Every structure is written in C-alpha cells, then in structure tokens.
C-alpha cells in the first residue's frame, strides 16, 4: 500500500490565484481530514469527511473548499489565495475504531508546502 | 468541546537521559490517546497509543501512562538518542467524535 499520498509537494502561488491540493489513500479508510501546520505550530483542522459525499467544517475552514466523490480521494481547493494561507498542508485518513469508536489512529500524507506571495 | 494541554513546549536533554511529556484533557468521555512523532520536514507518525481501559503501555524505550481520575497521560522516553529529536504531539479522542483533539506539540532536543 502507498498509504496516503499528496500532490504537489511544493507550490508557490500568487495572491488571488486558485489551486487544488490532491490527496489519495489506498487503505479503504472511511474518514479523511485536512490540516494546516504553520511554522513551529500545531495542527489545525480545516475540513473532514466521514465518507463519500459527506464533508464538514473543522476549526479553520474559511478560504477553503473540499469534496469527497470517492472513498479514496479528498481534494482541498483554495480559492483566491492569500498570504495567510502560506503553510504546510497535511491530509490524513483514519479507519473506524474498535467497538464503535469513530476516530482512531490518523495516517498522514507527506504534506504539501504552500507559499503565497 | 475537548481541550488538550501539552507541556512542556520545549524539552532539552542529554543523550542517555529520560524525557517525559505530559498532556491533560478536559473531557472525561475521551477514551483513546495516541502520541505522534514528527521529525523535521516530515509527516506526523503514530509511535504509541493507549486506551482508557489500560493504565500503562510500553514499546521498547517508550511508554505511555494514563491517569483517568486526574485526566492526564504522559509519554516517557528512556535512554534518549539524538534520533529521538523531533516534535511530539499528544491527542485525545472519544467514541462519539470523528475528530481527535491534538496538543500543541513538544519540541524534544537530544544533545549528543
């Protein structure tokens, strides 16, 4: 298994441009997540999905959109990029937990480093 | 909602010393507590986890302890090595939620 893969690895955007960060997992996990990590900081949840066709906002959703048309893919769309969106973006997936636990171990992708100038 | 506090934010030790990182959580319904290690420029990866029905778990040089009454859990690393240098994140999850709550991270520096 490749696990969780993300593309691109690095991207420079100009203010006002748009882009899509791709995320794919081959572990058949139901749950997928997008986080951003600013330098020296922790992980902030942007959006998450509990299955195909179902998405919900996290802590910092403004300026982003997501879709989940398949179990494998969970792309993150940035519209009108701003310098405040300069960050490292991690996609993660998680299987259903034991005994009905909904969220368990998170498997992270390698990250996309985004610079908005 | 759940709140997870992690201390210290930075920990500097000499090679061979032990390191302890502590997290406290607020929601008594939380029942799953993973620890992630993030090396510089890499992704966070699970190193150990513990469930609420267990008080302690060990894996070679690392161990995690859980005190449900006090609502805190700790990561213990013995005989630290330079390759243990990384940022460590704790997290807490409860059965009814899809979203784990992460601590803010501890930067561990092991000096040779």
């Amino acid at each position: 298994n490749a696990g969780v893969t993300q593309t691109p690895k690095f991207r420079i955007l100009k203010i006002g441009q748009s882009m899509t960060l791709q995320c794919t997992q081959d572990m058949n996990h139901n749950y997928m997540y997008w986080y951003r990590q600013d330098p020296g900081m922790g992980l902030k949840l942007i959006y998450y999905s509990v299955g195909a066709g179902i998405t919900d906002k996290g802590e910092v959703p403004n300026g982003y959109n997501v879709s989940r048309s398949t179990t494998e893919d969970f792309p993150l769309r940035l519209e009108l990029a701003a310098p405040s969106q300069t960050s490292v973006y991690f996609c993660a997936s998680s299987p259903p937990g034991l005994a009905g636990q909904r969220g368990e171990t998170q498997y992270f992708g390698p990250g996309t480093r985004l610079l908005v100038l | 909602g759940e709140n997870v506090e992690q201390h210290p934010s930075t920990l500097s030790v000499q090679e061979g010393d032990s390191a302890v990182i502590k997290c406290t959580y607020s929601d008594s319904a939380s029942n799953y507590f993973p620890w992630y290690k993030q090396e510089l420029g890499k992704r966070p990866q699970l190193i150990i986890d513990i469930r609420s029905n267990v008080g302690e778990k060990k894996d070679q040089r690392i161990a995690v302890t859980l005190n449900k009454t006090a609502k805190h859990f700790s990561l213990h690393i013995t005989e630290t090595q330079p390759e243990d240098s990384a940022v460590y994140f704790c997290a807490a999850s409860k059965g009814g939620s899809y979203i784990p709550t992460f601590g803010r991270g501890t930067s561990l520096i092991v000096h040779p």
Side-chain angles (χ1 to χ4, degrees), chain A residues 4-10 21-22 34-35 87-91 108-114, chain B residues 38 41-44:
Chain A
V4 181
T5 57
Q6 293 182 238
T7 57
K9 291 183 180 178
F10 177 67
L21 283 66
Q22 301 292 343
W34 275 105
Y35 296 92
S87 191
V88 179
Y89 292 84
F90 288 102
C91 178
F108 288 87
T112 293
R113 189 173 299 273
L114 177 66
Chain B
Q38 185 179 26
K42 300 290 183 63
R43 73 188 84 185

Side-chain angles (χ1 to χ4, degrees), chain A residues 4 31 33 35 37 41-43 45 48 50 57 90 98 100-106 108-111 113, chain B residues 31-32 34 36 38 41-46 49 51 89 93-100 102-105:
Chain A
V4 181
Y31 313 142
Y33 308 80
Y35 296 92
Q37 185 176 37
M41 302 294 285
L43 298 161
L45 182 65
Y48 69 101
V50 301
K57 296 178 181 179
F90 288 102
L98 301 177
Q101 180 97 5
R102 288 178 172 173
E104 287 249 324
T105 305
Q106 303 248 309
F108 288 87
R113 189 173 299 273
Chain B
N31 57 5
Y32 176 68
Y36 296 87
Q38 185 179 26
K42 300 290 183 63
R43 73 188 84 185
Q45 291 189 294
L46 178 78
D49 58 9
R51 300 183 188 278
F89 292 98
S93 297
K94 58 183 180 181
S97 175
Y98 299 104
I99 305 172
F102 285 90
R104 299 188 68 163

Side-chain angles (χ1 to χ4, degrees), chain B residues 24-91:
Chain B
T24 59
Y25 60 98
S26 60
D27 193 336
S28 57
S30 290
N31 57 5
Y32 176 68
F33 307 94
W35 285 90
Y36 296 87
K37 175 183 181 181
Q38 185 179 26
E39 296 177 355
L40 188 64
K42 300 290 183 63
R43 73 188 84 185
Q45 291 189 294
L46 178 78
I47 55 171
I48 196 167
D49 58 9
I50 192 167
R51 300 183 188 278
S52 58
N53 59 347
V54 175
E56 183 176 4
K57 184 177 179 180
K58 290 183 179 180
D59 183 3
Q60 299 183 335
R61 294 187 298 108
I62 61 173
V64 57
T65 58
L66 172 64
N67 183 325
K68 288 189 294 182
T69 302
K71 289 190 283 188
H72 67 71
F73 57 110
S74 299
L75 177 71
H76 305 254
I77 306 175
T78 59
E79 301 174 19
T80 54
Q81 300 168 4
E83 51 265 39
D84 294 328
S85 296
V87 176
Y88 292 81
F89 292 98
C90 64

Side-chain angles (χ1 to χ4, degrees), chain A residues 33-105:
Chain A
Y33 308 80
W34 275 105
Y35 296 92
R36 60 175 287 172
Q37 185 176 37
D38 298 332
M41 302 294 285
L43 298 161
K44 293 185 178 179
L45 182 65
I46 305 171
Y47 271 95
Y48 69 101
S49 168
V50 301
I54 305 170
T55 63
D56 209 346
K57 296 178 181 179
E59 181 185 358
V60 290
N62 291 346
Y64 307 93
N65 275 301
V66 293
S67 60
R68 183 98 182 268
S69 57
T70 66
T71 298
E72 295 78 19
D73 300 308
F74 190 40
L76 177 71
R77 178 81 177 165
L78 277 72
E79 304 283 0
L80 300 174
S84 61
Q85 293 178 305
T86 293
S87 191
V88 179
Y89 292 84
F90 288 102
C91 178
S93 70
S94 176
L98 301 177
Q101 180 97 5
R102 288 178 172 173
E104 287 249 324
T105 305

